[in-house]
Amino acid sequence: MAQVFMKRAEVVAMVGLGYSTIWRLERAGKFPARRKLTDYRVGWVRSEVEGWIQEREAVPQLLAA
């Protein structure tokens, strides 16, 4: 299956965090890494970002158990 890449604005809108916060999380290894698509364009793999969101949604459930 082909990977679908997301632009920065799409990632920001999807996760509800600012770009600076995403950048810091990415640098700390706590957010999916961007991929270099061309010399001037980067993108995030949609399935990785969706997986990161699902992990965040699972945390409150784990704490409640």
Side-chain angles (χ1 to χ4, degrees):
M1 188 162 107
Q3 292 180 338
V4 176
F5 291 95
M6 301 174 61
K7 296 178 183 179
R8 178 174 79 174
E10 295 172 313
V11 174
V12 168
M14 181 179 273
V15 301
L17 298 172
Y19 178 66
S20 297
T21 302
I22 292 170
W23 181 83
R24 281 193 297 273
L25 290 170
E26 186 180 349
R27 297 277 297 195
K30 297 179 180 181
F31 191 81
R34 69 189 74 199
R35 304 287 176 33
K36 185 174 181 177
L37 305 176
T38 69
D39 286 341
Y40 302 102
R41 173 79 67 190
V42 297
W44 287 261
V45 178
R46 177 179 290 277
S47 61
E48 292 178 1
V49 175
E50 289 171 345
W52 182 86
I53 292 169
Q54 289 174 353
E55 288 175 9
R56 305 284 87 58
E57 292 172 349
V59 172
Q61 295 169 359
L62 293 174
L63 295 175

